[in-house]
Every structure is written in C-alpha cells, then in structure tokens.
Amino acid sequence: MDQKIKHHLSDEILMAYAAGTLPEAFNLMVAAHVSLCDTCRAQLETFEALGGAVLEDAPGNDMALSDSAFAATMALIAGGPVDTPKSPRVVSDDVLPSPLCEYVGGGLASVKWKSIGMGVKQAILPTSKSATARLLSIPAGAAMPDHGHHGTEMTMVLQGAFIDDDEYFARGDVEVADSDLHHTPVADIHEDCICLAVTDAPLQFEGLLPKIAQRFARI
Amino acid sequence: MDISLQPSDGVKTPVPNKGVQISDRDTRRAPMTDETGKRMQWVTHLQRIRDEQDQKAFAELFSHFAPRVKGFLIRSGADATLAEECAQEVMATCWHKAHLFDPARASVATWIFTIARNRKIDVLRRERRPEPEDLGWGPEEDPAQADVLALQQESELLGKAIADLPAAQRDLIQKAYFGDLTHSEIAAETGLPLGTIKSRIRLALDRLRHAMK
C-alpha cells in the first residue's frame, strides 16, 4: 500500500461513488485510486456509512411492498444467489490495480495500446459512453498530449510520475483538471509514465491526429 | 477485586457499564442505548441468518429494510414495479451474503445500502460497477464484540448528527444519496447556486465529522 500519495480524491467524488451516481469511467477512477490509497478508502467507507444512515433514518422514504413480497423473496432465496457469480478477480500487477485489470482483461502486458504519435500510446477502456476512461503511456521526459477537453478530467499516475506547474504527481496521485485549466504536464525523466485518465466530455483525440501532431511539433 | 459489578453506594438503577466487555453473543440483553441495541439486534439477526438460516430473523430484517430499499430505488428513478422487484433481490442478496457482512466495519443499514446501491447501478443503469481491490481479508469469523459495539455506536452517533442538521442541509444530503442528482442538478432543482450547494454539503459533512469525534 502506497502511503506517499499526496493528491487525493475529493469528498464530492467519493460521496458520489458511495451514492452510486457517478458515470462508470469515474467509478473506475475511484475504484483504482481507493485500491492504492487507504486514506480515501476510509473516507469512502465513511460516505457509505452516511448512505446507510440516510437509508435508515430518512423520513418518508420507505415504501410498502406488496403483500406477496416476502413470500416472493423467500422463493428467490430458494432459487439460489441472485447475481451471477463473478469470474475470479484478475490479480493486480505492479502497475494496474485489480479494477483496472478487470477492464483490461489482464495485467499491463495485456493492454492493447494504440500509438497516437510522438511515442505516446493510449488504450480506451470499455466503459459506458457517459464518460471515457483510458490508459495513457507517455515517454519519459515527454509532455502529455494536449487533447483539449471540455469537461472535468482526472488523471491518476500508475507508473512513473509527471510534473505539472511545479506539482509532482507520483503513483496513486490524482490531478483534476477543469475545462478552463490549461496545463502542460510533463512525464518525469526516469521512467515512462503510465496514467489512467477519465473525462466526462467526449474525447477530442480521435480523428484529430494531425492537429495533435502539430501541437507536439511545438513542444 | 471487582469494583464494576456491585456498587455499594446505594445506586438503585445500575448504570449500564458502557458495554465494551460483552462476552455474551446474545446482544439483546447488552447494556446500551435503545438505538445501539437496535443496531446490535440487526447484527445478531444477520448472524442468525448466516448460521441458522433463521427465517424469523429474516422476516424482521425484511419488514424493516425492504420498504426503505424500495423507497431508495424509487427516488433513484425506478418505477414502482421495478423497485419492488429489486428490493426483493436486494433482500435475497442479504440472505445469501450474510457471511460477508463485517459488523466491525459497517452497520447493517450501511451494508444493505451498499447492496441496494450496487443493484441500482446494475439494473437501473445497466453498467459494470468497478470495485476497489479487496483488502485481502474478509470479515473475521467472530469479530471482537467491543469492536462491533463501538462501530454500531458510532453509526448511531452519525444517525443522530444527521437528525440534528438544519432541514435544508439534511435535505441536500438525502438528495445526493437518494435522488441520483449531480450537485449541479441539485442546484437546478433548488434554484441555488452550485457553490452554495457545495459549501452546504461540505458544511454538513464537516459538522458530521465533528459530531463523530
């Protein structure tokens, strides 16, 4: 467990994960970060406790069930577990915590990278369309691709590190960028930087390769 | 010398010792507040369901929680039929997964809330639900009663703290959990600026955190 994480998830996003109101890609970010961060895991469980308290105490939230509901539930129970048994969890590796392994379908070696130029690679993970999650690999010392997003983007380091505006982001650290933030993170020189990036606006990457190449040319 | 059991100074009503040394697993007689007693009772109910497939305990759990779960699902956007169906599935899951409940880490209400939330994401949103890596250990076979009691008492404090919040703040927290609204949607619904909402929620959370200390 990495205890050196300095840049955590916000209360707002942890609370939304606890409530179950985040888009899938952001749930993936929270699950991945919490896998690496005990501080945020404790905070998440606090927000789940808050959810439990709201469920328990909120006045007027209970809705009577039909008379046959109990018998129907006992019949469900007799039929065995409701949800299909999950396939055994893919074990995490040194870079990808298990929730990411599940989306990749294996460890780091199983990631289907696509080059997007200048040595930068990405792999879009299969989440619902309301938000996008992808893995990014940026060569050591190179700048992150400037991809112009409109919504909120969160980036978490999985391997290596990047520096942005004098702030250092290492494994487990999360940077949050709003649409109006112009930032130019640069991968640390020692190692290629692998990140999970999620955004709630459509990506402007695809089909824009020439434009991106242009931007790289300026670096 | 045992000074705790028999006060000789004429105290008529024995003050319940604050119950950290409960060795008896039957917590119905444990000395504690009524509210904590109720919470501990749900814990015992789940243990009975786990150990003895106790239908009577399950029936009580059902009549308390199933309507709350149904209400949660309706407020999250399910129609009455779907919410009823899901509430039954959630309760059936409680039966099947009773062995996974860790009373030293969550109240029964919290545990059921997370099951209901998960079902909501599976059914209402039809999405996969990424979960954090397991910590590598499940619930203890028989967690220390002191730990269980402490946790259940803390969840009682949390419940009280929510009840003591000003109505506006309580309402916002409930919306955040029940309404499936983003904070900006909450803003749209209440006509309040987003920043105010956020700081109200923060304030509510800070107060809760304070009350929990």
Side-chain angles (χ1 to χ4, degrees):
Chain A
M1 193 61 57
D2 196 335
Q3 300 299 342
K4 289 181 213 152
I5 294 171
K6 290 199 189 76
H7 302 271
H8 296 276
L9 295 173
S10 67
D11 280 353
E12 188 178 334
I13 200 161
L14 285 169
M15 187 176 176
Y17 180 92
T21 56
L22 285 176
E24 185 179 353
F26 283 82
N27 277 339
L28 183 57
M29 170 63 78
V30 174
H33 177 81
V34 166
S35 297
L36 301 176
C37 179
D38 279 348
T39 308
C40 287
R41 188 188 289 268
Q43 191 71 341
L44 171 60
E45 290 188 12
T46 306
F47 286 126
E48 288 175 343
L50 185 54
V54 171
L55 180 73
E56 175 72 59
D57 296 323
N61 279 323
D62 50 328
M63 302 273 191
L65 277 77
S66 63
D67 294 341
S68 60
F70 184 72
T73 305
M74 291 313 294
L76 273 181
I77 288 168
V82 179
D83 42 11
T84 47
K86 277 191 196 167
S87 49
R89 300 203 84 168
V90 184
V91 186
S92 56
D93 63 23
D94 289 345
V95 175
L96 304 183
S98 60
L100 284 175
C101 287
E102 280 165 14
Y103 276 77
V104 165
L108 188 60
S110 307
V111 177
K112 293 180 184 69
W113 295 110
K114 285 194 176 143
S115 173
I116 53 173
M118 301 294 286
V120 178
K121 296 178 290 181
Q122 75 167 3
I124 294 179
L125 301 176
T127 63
S128 66
K129 289 198 172 79
S130 50
T132 312
R134 66 214 153 95
L135 294 168
L136 278 172
S137 174
I138 297 108
M144 298 266 219
D146 179 358
H147 46 274
H149 48 86
H150 289 307
T152 298
E153 186 177 66
M154 300 175 68
T155 308
M156 181 172 82
V157 177
L158 295 162
Q159 173 192 291
F162 67 79
I163 299 134
D164 190 12
D165 203 19
D166 290 341
E167 293 261 27
Y168 193 79
F169 295 82
R171 178 169 166 82
D173 281 325
V174 180
E175 179 176 59
V176 182
D178 291 322
S179 50
D180 52 349
L181 179 73
H182 293 285
H183 61 138
T184 46
V186 176
D188 194 8
I189 198 78
H190 302 295
E191 196 178 6
D192 290 355
C193 182
I194 295 174
C195 295
L196 170 67
V198 302
T199 178
D200 58 2
L203 280 183
Q204 298 175 12
F205 255 151
E206 288 165 298
L208 293 175
L209 284 181
K211 202 173 161 191
I212 289 165
Q214 257 179 17
R215 286 178 175 160
F216 280 159
R218 274 191 246 132
I219 294 165
Chain B
M1 184 176 69
D2 189 340
I3 53 165
S4 67
L5 289 179
Q6 292 296 330
S8 54
D9 55 353
V11 176
K12 277 176 193 156
T13 332
V15 177
N17 77 46
K18 276 299 176 185
V20 280
Q21 308 97 349
I22 297 167
S23 53
D24 191 345
R25 286 192 62 166
D26 184 354
T27 53
R28 283 172 304 177
R29 285 171 294 149
M32 60 187 88
T33 66
D34 289 352
E35 262 305 308
T36 302
K38 258 190 245 163
R39 281 160 212 272
M40 290 298 281
Q41 206 171 48
W42 294 133
V43 171
T44 313
H45 275 51
L46 268 186
Q47 287 167 341
R48 288 209 188 106
I49 292 163
R50 178 194 66 187
D51 297 337
E52 300 152 35
Q53 292 78 51
D54 185 333
Q55 288 203 20
K56 185 169 166 289
F58 183 71
E60 287 174 23
L61 195 77
F62 187 93
S63 67
H64 184 77
F65 285 105
R68 288 174 163 78
V69 169
K70 185 177 175 184
F72 166 65
L73 293 164
I74 286 176
R75 286 188 66 172
S76 300
D79 64 39
T81 312
L82 184 62
E84 166 110 12
E85 208 177 288
C86 286
Q88 293 174 16
E89 286 163 2
V90 166
M91 295 315 292
T93 302
C94 292
W95 176 287
H96 290 300
K97 294 197 170 169
H99 62 287
L100 294 176
F101 170 65
D102 184 349
R105 219 159 127 195
S107 71
V108 172
T110 295
W111 187 65
I112 294 179
F113 168 75
T114 59
I115 294 173
R117 171 201 67 191
N118 296 351
R119 197 74 198 136
K120 172 181 88 168
I121 296 173
D122 291 345
V123 173
L124 292 190
R125 306 172 76 193
R126 300 177 184 284
E127 286 182 358
R128 285 171 75 183
R129 189 176 38 77
E131 280 182 87
E133 200 161 310
D134 295 331
L135 284 171
W137 64 84
E140 284 180 80
E141 186 68 28
D142 213 354
Q145 283 294 307
D147 292 344
V148 173
L149 185 57
L151 190 282
Q152 303 303 320
Q153 280 171 333
E154 276 177 32
S155 30
E156 181 194 345
L157 280 181
L158 182 59
K160 277 191 185 144
I162 291 176
D164 289 344
L165 285 176
Q169 290 179 21
R170 194 169 58 234
D171 196 46
L172 281 171
I173 288 193
Q174 286 177 8
K175 280 204 171 97
Y177 279 89
F178 278 177
D180 204 2
L181 302 173
T182 66
H183 292 180
S184 26
E185 284 168 330
I186 293 174
E189 185 169 293
T190 58
L192 291 168
L194 182 62
T196 314
I197 300 284
K198 273 188 195 166
S199 53
R200 275 181 190 231
I201 288 180
R202 289 249 159 78
L203 182 63
L205 292 171
D206 286 347
R207 284 191 190 194
L208 286 176
R209 211 169 277 147
H210 212 73
M212 294 298 289
K213 275 178 188 164

